[in-house]
Each structure stands twice: as structure tokens, then as C-alpha cells.
Amino acid sequence: MYLILFGAPGVGKGTQAKLISAKYDIPQISTGDMLRAAVKDQTDLGKKAVKIMSRGELVPDDLILDLIRERFSQPDCDHGFILDGFPRTLAQAEGLDELVAEMNLPELRCIEIQVPDEKVIERLVNRRLCDNCGADYNMITNPPPADMKCTICGGNIYQRKDDNEETISNRLEVYTRQTAPVKEHYQKKGQFFSVDGQMPVEKVQEAIQAILNN
Ligand code: AMP
């Protein structure tokens, strides 16, 4: 299965990608996670990306496409993948089309998860994550334990540096300006579907599953 999960930051792409990844045994490819790992490891890419990410802007397309090309060449991508946070610009979508053609992959389906901006802001300012397994917490709806240790794996729970109000508002602007147009690209191909991301996680999963079964 070759799938793109599309939508603004904080709509639940990562959560849904993890569920699909476990069910179909295909990797979740999150460019955000890959970039954060590069920043942590202080690689050349990480050094170039760190400031851009802290402002909530987009890392240049050529760097992202290089990262994706390298990732697709790994053996765990042989039977499919779920893209989370990529493509984020029209140029990335076109670069992805070229890669798909070059690698003889089937047409990618694009599923958008829709959540209104005010809900996204509320989710992101309250979001906390495990630095080991990536589990999601929310200070209001799913608070972490007082010792800030993950209940699943014992990892440390932290808040992403870009999950502050100023950067969130810039990330949403960037989404509207640069990422939303990508939708039309997949609509034109007849490969675009939308689900309501305000439902509980299991219901969103069911809605995605219904699209995948078709
Ligand atoms: P995310 O974890 O998807 O919210 O991404 C966090 C940050 O990483 C974004 O705000 C961007 O700065 C950068 N980033 C992630 N994916 C991409 C991408 N496909 N293109 C450009 N920048 C990206």
C-alpha cells in the first residue's frame, strides 16, 4: 500500500500513520521525524534545517527530495509506505511523481485529515511526546504521568520546540500558502480523499480504513 496522509500540523497524521503502519507492516515515513533526528545528530542536513524548523518554515525542496529518495531505497519500503508530512509543496509533489514513475510504483492515494485551525492550535499547544517511542500525550485530554515518563516505554515525555503559539501560527500560515495547493494536484489525479479528523482516533481510523478497502 502506497499512501500519503495529508493535512495541517496537529490533525493526527502521525497517530493514524502509526496505526496503519502496524496493521499493514509498512513503514511510516515522516520527514519531520527524519529532520528532527538529523538535528539531534548534528548532521549537515540537521545544521541547515534547525533554524528553518524553529521558525516553522519549510526546509528547501531539494534537501527533502534527496532525503526521500534515499529513504525509498531502503528494503522496508519494498511493499509500501505511508508518507506523513510529505509532500508539502507542489515541487515536492512533482518530485514525488518522478520518483514514483522511476521506481515503477503504483499511483499513490492521498487521504486528507481535516480539523479546523482553532482545534489544531489547541491540540498543538497541549501536545507532549515521548522521545523514545513517539507516543502522543495531551495536557488536557490525555495527560502524561507526573514524572513525565512514557506509560508505554518509560521514555522521557517532552514538548516540541515548535509547538509554541507563535510558531504554530506561522506553521498554519505556511500550510495554507505552500501546502494546501498540493491538494489540487491529487484531486486532478482522482486520488484524493478526505476524512473528518475531529472524531475519536478509532473513528478516524475506521474512516481511513473504509477508503483503503475500496
Ligand atoms: P512536522 O513534524 O511534519 O510538523 O515537521 C516539522 C518541521 O519540519 C516543519 O515545520 C518543517 O520546518 C520541517 N519539515 C517537515 N517535513 C517537511 C517537508 N516535507 N518539507 C519541508 N519542510 C519539512
Side-chain angles (χ1 to χ4, degrees):
M1 176 189 309
Y2 295 84
L3 184 67
I4 300 167
L5 284 184
F6 189 76
V11 296
K13 299 187 297 294
T15 303
Q16 295 299 329
K18 283 185 183 66
L19 293 170
I20 304 166
S21 165
K23 180 157 185 194
Y24 291 91
D25 195 22
I26 50 173
Q28 167 194 12
I29 301 183
S30 156
T31 40
D33 285 349
M34 292 163 84
L35 289 167
R36 277 182 290 279
V39 169
K40 195 170 168 201
D41 295 345
Q42 300 191 348
T43 65
D44 285 347
L45 171 65
K47 286 177 195 159
K48 285 180 193 151
V50 64
K51 283 213 183 93
I52 302 172
M53 292 172 76
S54 68
R55 290 196 302 268
E57 306 284 340
L58 295 184
V59 173
D61 293 329
D62 55 337
L63 299 181
I64 297 291
L65 285 165
D66 284 350
L67 197 64
I68 286 288
R69 176 180 286 276
E70 205 281 319
R71 184 67 185 85
F72 281 7
S73 71
Q74 291 170 20
D76 63 336
C77 291
D78 277 357
H79 304 291
F81 46 68
I82 307 146
L83 298 176
D84 160 12
F86 171 87
R88 248 170 156 111
T89 63
L90 222 43
Q92 290 181 17
E94 285 161 4
L96 175 59
D97 284 346
E98 282 169 26
L99 258 178
V100 164
E102 209 177 295
M103 296 175 72
N104 258 322
L105 302 179
E107 195 75 75
L108 270 63
R109 268 181 290 188
C110 182
I111 303 183
E112 176 190 39
I113 307 178
Q114 278 185 322
V115 175
D117 278 5
E118 61 275 15
K119 284 265 159 41
V120 158
I121 295 168
E122 194 182 299
R123 280 189 190 181
L124 289 177
V125 288
N126 289 301
R127 175 162 77 174
R128 301 293 184 273
L129 298 159
C130 170
D131 71 356
N132 182 48
C133 72
D136 253 293
Y137 295 85
N138 180 293
M139 294 310 281
I140 295 166
T141 56
N142 178 27
D147 64 0
M148 295 301 269
K149 297 285 178 205
C150 179
T151 51
I152 299 166
C153 74
N156 293 313
I157 296 170
Y158 75 107
Q159 180 173 28
R160 264 173 57 172
K161 284 205 183 98
D162 57 353
D163 279 348
N164 64 75
E165 269 187 67
E166 196 188 331
T167 311
I168 291 166
S169 116
N170 196 33
R171 283 157 70 199
L172 288 174
E173 262 182 56
V174 166
Y175 178 78
T176 306
R177 202 172 57 239
Q178 293 180 266
T179 307
V182 171
K183 190 168 161 166
E184 212 182 313
H185 183 81
Y186 291 97
Q187 275 168 336
K188 278 189 200 147
K189 290 173 183 275
Q191 295 291 340
F192 191 85
F193 308 86
S194 279
V195 299
D196 176 5
Q198 290 188 86
M199 302 183 290
V201 171
E202 319 77 65
K203 293 283 174 205
V204 178
Q205 183 64 28
E206 280 173 23
I208 292 175
Q209 193 59 60
I211 296 168
L212 298 178
N213 290 342
N214 254 321

